Amino acid sequence: MHKALLIDPAKCTSCLQCEMACSFENEGVFNPAKSRIKIFEFEHGARAIPYTCTQCAEAWCLHACPVEALTRNPDTNAVEVSNDICVGCKVCTIACPFGTVNYNKSSGKVIKCDLCGGDPACAKACPTDAITYVDADWTGYERMQASAVSGHGRPA
Amino acid sequence: MSWQRKVLRVDLTKGTCETEDLNMEWATQFLGERGLATKYLWENVDPSVDAMSPENVLIFATGPLTGTMASTSGRYAVVTKGPLTGAIACSNSGGKFGAELKYAGYDLLIIHGRSEKPVYLHIEDDEVEIVPADDIWGTTVWHTEEWLKAHHQNPQMKVASIGVAGEKGVRYACIVNDLHRAAGRSGVGAVMGSKNLKAVAVRGTQGVTVDDPEAFMDVVRTTHERMSGHRGRKELTEFGTNAMIDVMQNFGGLPTRNFQAVQFDGVDKINPAAMVTPNEHGHVNLLTNKACFGCTIACGRIAHIDEEHFTIVNRKEYIHASGGLEYETAYAFGPLVGIDDIDALTYAAFLTNEHGYDPISFGGTLAAAMELFEMGVITEEDTDGIALNFGNAEALTVMAEKTGKAEGFGEILGLGSNRMCEKYGHPELAMTVKGQEFAGYDSRALQGMGLGYATSNRGACHLKHDVFGPDMEDQTGKGKAEPCKDSQDFVAMLDSTGLCLFSAGAGMKPGHFTELVRTACGGDWDDDRLTQTGERVWNLERMFNLKAGLTRADDDLPARLKEVPAPSGTAKGKVSDIDMMIPEYYEYRGWTPDGEPTTQTLQRLGLND
């Protein structure tokens, strides 16, 4: 079963534990500036929205890469960057419609979410379950269930 | 490791920005944040200087755990000599600014001198510049933050700034970061204003590492899990700090109408339940809760004001969310001034953040002014035509704006209770210690709290000790000296790590702090060494105050709390036992009967050089 990150902005408190966990997992340092997931705050903090790569089925970043540094990991379904191959041309950062692939000047390569090889650190670190790692084919399950309950009353 | 080992020193008189190595000998004695900044203040400032003079120094300090994954790791402290009290001022704040300063590569930012013209400091990692602030001087905190991010095209920048209150020297002006988090007390914003420094805008991309990452992360996971299931954590998350208003109401420790009463009839209209109950227009005050950097509690309240409320019906710019009622704001704009209009309280809370001043001291000063007004000492001629009666919500909201702008009677309120009451010939109405107003706990009902207020080095403050348990169990002064001193030292240690005091009420145990510090910093940190570090910090603060001219007489409570019995509640008929507690406390601290640390005490703490 492939899994995917499921993000529920309503539960996010903007604590940035996910950003620290991401940078620690990938760079060995607590540094939100090197995080693959970002929290965006709006309206004086009334809304906070975690945002990262959705691992597109038709991944534009992957198609745009001239040196084939981006490949799909069949085990996790994540699009991963090979640092040995990446030349830092940044074309993938332009191709991505969501901005979730970014250049990292200290390594000279691009960085993006790779689902931590199937055990994403952000989801583990999130204290409110705003980020969870669930069945990729059923990311809507909980919301569907909630709608079912509210539409038909509580099941007996 | 954990420390960045670097200090940024800015001299605004000379216009220079220089970096230097962090003094690691001091770091191992004073840890960081509050403690380390106190040491740097001690070494850089003559305690007798005028707080608002260029000779005073303003220190922004992060701790070794700031910016790490330890829960509540977003704290920084501002330490300076305070203009409200003439004592050491140490005010800490959450939000995201502190971690950003650390990520830029600095443990401490030390500001000397005074700029000839208004400036702000712009920091992007190693690049630091002093920039003219003509475009933002005279504007609000909210405008300043927005302007700086747009001007530098850097939405990820974090900003700590002052409003007009700080520029014009309101004695309890604060430094606000991230729109509604503040180094709130003791007037640190007025010191920043006196230096003509409008803002510190910082972007940091360097990250923080720890000594033993694997061991550190083990402690992080253990503490996160423990906090997750902890009752204290759950209550803070769900109700925010304002849960305390019901506790204090029931206990009879809720200062009301300038401490003339200890219970308030209108509590049900401003408590956590009221914050989530729709009003007659269907408006609900509370929108959501919000965390500071790294915090797994998220006690912050984000609220909005009913669009039809008189405060904003003609001010559409306030139809938005922002930082809502915490306990101290609810107390200071509620019971203390006799007001139960939740929208007026929320609006006033917005204004204190927007203009940058301390709601506790403002509420306390306004309460004293209201008593003066009701006594007939001041009239509408003094108060710009506003009837300053207890319970008048318009008086609160109008004076909140005037104080933020230091206009009209707001300029008088900006002096703080002591100076204002002195001016009108009634110093006895100032409910303060060392010139700083009380938080929302009455010393007649909570005796240990009274001792904590009286001995707090920054003037009346509820956050420098924790005697809550003993206070709820026994309403006499007996046996309070020991838990007061011990908890003061513990909090001084905690405040020096970079974590938030609330972590301790939300499931972190004393041993956890030790494990976090040891695995992050390396070295032989154990419980005893950390406790002694806290005691060292407390005593150095005390030495600063003694050199600044404070004496035993400044460790006292106002006559009202010592002579006028609590009129109701569980402490009905009681007065503060402060005169009995102080000698016990001095002795337990290892101080002389005059409140000075003995040579042996200083020697034991390594403070005798």
Side-chain angles (χ1 to χ4, degrees):
Chain A
M1 177 180 78
H2 281 151
K3 287 180 145 190
L5 289 171
L6 173 62
I7 286 169
D8 183 350
K11 292 180 182 167
C12 178
T13 63
S14 186
C15 73
L16 307 194
Q17 281 280 336
C18 58
E19 295 193 14
M20 283 190 282
C22 178
S23 60
F24 184 75
E25 175 76 21
N26 290 289
E27 316 272 343
V29 55
F30 301 114
N31 187 1
K34 297 284 191 300
S35 172
R36 282 83 169 140
I37 186 165
K38 292 304 293 178
I39 306 301
F40 293 88
E41 270 185 46
F42 303 95
E43 300 168 49
H44 287 219
R47 291 161 70 79
I49 302 180
Y51 208 84
T52 190
C53 174
T54 61
Q55 317 296 345
C56 300
E58 191 71 22
W60 294 11
C61 59
L62 187 149
H63 290 306
C65 180
V67 294
E68 295 183 20
L70 289 158
T71 53
R72 187 169 307 269
N73 181 330
D75 295 333
T76 61
N77 207 35
V79 174
E80 298 177 351
V81 183
S82 167
N83 274 347
D84 294 338
I85 304 172
C86 176
V87 295
C89 75
K90 314 178 195 71
V91 172
C92 56
T93 68
I94 300 165
C96 174
F98 308 107
T100 58
V101 189
N102 284 284
Y103 180 66
N104 178 355
K105 69 173 182 290
S106 51
S107 65
K109 317 283 179 187
V110 295
I111 56 175
K112 72 177 287 300
C113 172
D114 61 1
L115 298 175
C116 297
D119 189 16
C122 56
K124 280 191 291 188
C126 180
T128 61
D129 289 337
I131 307 165
T132 50
Y133 194 49
V134 302
D135 183 346
D137 289 343
W138 281 103
T139 53
Y141 188 86
E142 266 189 38
R143 209 181 307 170
M144 195 188 275
Q145 187 183 43
S147 306
V149 170
S150 66
H152 299 281
R154 289 182 178 280
Chain B
M1 293 295 182
S2 69
W3 291 285
Q4 302 292 45
R5 297 173 182 255
K6 200 158 71 174
V7 175
L8 175 58
R9 202 180 279 271
V10 173
D11 189 322
L12 293 173
T13 305
K14 294 181 193 153
T16 55
C17 308
E18 283 164 358
T19 58
E20 65 194 45
D21 291 341
L22 182 69
N23 185 320
M24 287 310 294
E25 195 190 325
W26 295 352
T28 55
Q29 289 168 345
F30 293 90
L31 205 49
E33 213 196 297
R34 172 176 163 187
L36 193 52
T38 300
K39 176 64 174 169
Y40 270 86
L41 187 75
W42 175 256
E43 298 288 340
N44 282 276
V45 173
D46 172 355
S48 66
V49 299
D50 178 351
M52 308 275 265
S53 73
E55 286 71 39
N56 195 6
V57 162
L58 183 71
I59 303 177
F60 292 75
T62 66
L65 298 180
T66 304
T68 70
M69 256 177 93
S71 184
T72 75
S73 70
R75 306 304 289 192
Y76 75 98
V78 180
V79 176
T80 187
K81 180 172 176 175
L84 186 65
T85 57
I88 191 167
C90 167
S91 206
N92 79 34
S93 177
K96 301 198 164 80
F97 174 84
E100 199 74 18
L101 180 63
K102 179 108 176 252
Y103 290 147
Y106 309 104
D107 299 298
L108 272 69
L109 163 61
I110 305 178
I111 313 276
H112 293 259
R114 170 187 289 158
S115 172
E116 202 175 312
K117 291 187 171 157
V119 292
Y120 67 91
L121 192 64
H122 177 218
I123 304 171
E124 288 199 22
D125 292 326
D126 300 335
E127 292 170 33
V128 184
E129 55 175 348
I130 300 168
V131 190
D134 303 333
D135 289 315
I136 42 178
W137 195 256
T139 72
T140 67
V141 163
W142 291 354
H143 175 267
T144 296
E145 182 163 335
E146 189 184 0
W147 187 91
L148 284 167
K149 287 179 178 180
H151 181 72
H152 289 281
Q153 298 183 317
N154 194 344
Q156 302 201 64
M157 164 187 277
K158 303 291 181 284
V159 176
S161 67
I162 56 170
V164 172
E167 294 174 16
K168 292 200 173 169
V170 167
R171 292 270 167 174
Y172 44 83
C174 57
I175 298 172
V176 183
N177 57 275
D178 303 282
L179 301 173
H180 48 72
R181 307 310 308 185
R185 302 221 69 193
S186 309
V188 294
V191 175
M192 188 155 155
S194 77
K195 299 191 171 307
N196 269 327
L197 180 63
K198 178 68 177 174
V200 179
V202 56
R203 172 69 179 145
T205 66
Q206 300 181 24
V208 172
T209 57
V210 290
D211 182 68
D212 185 344
E214 213 167 297
F216 181 77
M217 286 304 288
D218 276 343
V219 191
V220 165
R221 277 185 287 268
T222 304
T223 47
H224 281 198
E225 201 167 310
R226 192 179 144 75
M227 289 171 75
S228 171
H230 192 267
R231 209 184 93 196
R233 198 282 304 159
K234 288 179 185 166
E235 286 177 357
L236 275 170
T237 305
E238 186 174 351
F239 305 115
T241 56
N242 199 19
M244 193 53 82
I245 206 163
D246 291 317
V247 178
M248 281 302 107
Q249 169 72 358
N250 294 334
F251 196 61
L254 184 61
T256 298
R257 292 184 289 277
N258 204 30
F259 292 74
Q260 297 180 88
V262 292
Q263 288 175 313
F264 179 55
D265 286 344
V267 158
D268 291 348
K269 294 181 183 170
I270 56 174
N271 63 6
M275 288 170 75
V276 297
T277 306
N279 69 6
E280 67 273 21
H281 306 126
H283 177 87
V284 178
N285 180 266
L286 184 71
L287 280 166
T288 186
N289 65 320
K290 182 171 190 291
C292 293
F293 184 95
C295 177
T296 60
I297 305 170
C299 73
R301 303 291 100 176
I302 302 293
H304 61 162
I305 304 158
D306 183 348
E307 291 179 28
E308 294 175 53
H309 191 258
F310 80 86
T311 50
I312 68 164
V313 70
N314 293 316
R315 307 187 89 170
K316 302 296 179 201
E317 67 271 28
Y318 289 99
I319 301 178
H320 65 78
S322 194
L325 296 178
E326 321 276 338
Y327 173 54
E328 292 303 335
T329 324
Y331 138 77
F333 298 168
L336 191 57
V337 287
I339 296 168
D340 62 7
D341 177 340
I342 193 169
D343 286 294
L345 266 63
T346 306
Y347 176 71
F350 279 23
L351 292 183
T352 57
N353 288 323
E354 186 186 19
H355 296 293
Y357 61 92
D358 172 18
I360 304 179
S361 282
F362 167 69
T365 309
L366 182 61
M370 285 176 161
E371 195 167 349
L372 287 167
F373 186 87
E374 296 205 338
M375 287 164 66
V377 178
I378 56 173
T379 66
E380 288 187 20
E381 274 181 36
D382 301 290
T383 62
D384 310 328
I386 303 291
L388 280 199
N389 293 103
F390 286 112
N392 180 359
E394 196 190 356
L396 167 70
T397 58
V398 170
M399 288 305 158
E401 182 161 7
K402 284 176 179 283
T403 300
K405 295 176 175 172
E407 283 175 0
F409 190 67
E411 198 179 341
I412 307 291
L413 290 169
L415 295 171
S417 306
N418 270 27
R419 289 174 174 84
M420 181 189 72
C421 292
E422 191 75 45
K423 176 182 159 70
Y424 293 118
H426 285 276
E428 78 283 2
L429 296 185
M431 300 306 290
T432 61
V433 172
K434 300 181 177 67
Q436 176 158 284
E437 290 74 8
F438 290 108
Y441 304 90
D442 195 288
S443 309
R444 292 165 290 195
L446 296 112
Q447 295 282 343
M449 178 66 80
L451 179 60
Y453 283 144
T455 56
S456 159
N457 290 314
R458 71 168 181 180
C461 172
H462 60 300
L463 293 171
K464 303 292 182 195
H465 58 269
D466 179 5
V467 200
F468 208 73
D471 272 351
M472 299 294 275
E473 272 167 30
D474 168 53
Q475 289 183 298
T476 73
K478 247 193 305 187
K480 297 292 160 65
E482 202 173 314
C484 183
K485 182 259 181 198
D486 290 346
S487 63
Q488 284 174 335
D489 293 347
F490 173 75
V491 172
M493 176 280 289
L494 209 169
D495 280 348
S496 302
T497 62
L499 301 189
C500 174
L501 177 57
F502 290 174
S503 62
M508 266 204 224
K509 289 185 183 173
H512 290 137
F513 299 105
T514 309
E515 289 175 46
L516 285 167
V517 168
R518 187 175 53 233
T519 53
C521 300
D524 57 355
W525 294 96
D526 58 25
D527 293 350
D528 290 345
R529 185 177 160 194
L530 274 170
T531 304
Q532 197 180 56
T533 301
E535 190 180 4
R536 184 177 297 124
V537 173
W538 191 273
N539 278 272
L540 189 59
E541 290 175 339
R542 179 74 176 183
M543 286 163 71
F544 185 96
N545 283 353
L546 292 171
K547 263 198 157 181
L550 278 78
T551 67
R552 190 228 174 282
D554 295 298
D555 297 342
D556 204 359
L557 298 175
R560 179 166 283 174
L561 303 177
K562 292 171 35 165
E563 292 165 10
V564 184
S568 69
T570 57
K572 185 174 178 181
K574 290 201 170 73
V575 295
S576 170
D577 292 341
I578 190 67
D579 292 335
M580 180 260 274
M581 290 186 279
I582 287 282
E584 265 182 49
Y585 170 87
Y586 284 174
E587 195 184 340
Y588 188 61
R589 271 234 166 265
W591 292 355
T592 68
D594 285 331
E596 294 177 18
T598 62
T599 315
Q600 294 94 308
T601 300
L602 293 179
Q603 247 161 12
R604 183 168 57 77
L605 298 170
L607 291 172
N608 52 330
D609 48 5

